[in-house]
Amino acid sequence: MFVPGDGEGVLAMEPGAPGVEGAPGVDEYEGLVLAAEQLLDGVDRALASLDDGTYGACEVCGDAVDDRVLDQDPLATRCSMHRIAGELSPGTSPSSSPRRSL
């Protein structure tokens, strides 16, 4: 959609377009697009796991992902142990790191 009468043919939704107050900058826009793409990828993976009967199983060990976790994040793909282990920095193990409350 073009902004009528601006003489530039600038898209109204283009970041930083004249007359568009609060339009995000290019970096912010690209970040939003990337976040949306990642979310859609997660939804696609969750739907595929529903189809093949693996929804709710940890992608690492196959154990069940806690129902409370899935209630809060239906795209969760790891059990509590592997979710915590994935948050640790390289070279550490869950037993050497302080426990975090879930």
Side-chain angles (χ1 to χ4, degrees):
M1 171 172 141
F2 289 99
V3 178
D6 69 0
E8 301 274 332
V10 177
L11 291 175
M13 295 306 292
E14 184 177 324
V20 179
E21 300 231 359
V26 172
D27 290 338
E28 185 179 2
Y29 175 77
E30 288 174 354
L32 292 171
V33 169
L34 178 62
E37 288 172 348
Q38 290 173 341
L39 178 61
L40 289 174
D41 287 344
V43 169
D44 287 341
R45 284 191 307 274
L47 290 172
S49 70
L50 279 169
D51 287 342
D52 67 20
T54 61
Y55 181 77
C58 175
E59 68 183 1
V60 177
C61 67
D63 285 349
V65 176
D66 191 284
D67 287 339
R68 292 174 296 187
V69 171
L70 290 171
D71 285 345
Q72 289 184 342
D73 181 7
L75 305 181
T77 59
R78 294 185 178 205
C79 66
S80 297
M81 179 59 86
H82 288 108
R83 191 174 62 254
I84 292 169
E87 294 171 358
L88 298 174
S89 57
T92 61
S93 67
S95 60
S96 67
S97 180
R99 295 201 78 152
R100 298 195 313 178
S101 54
L102 300 177

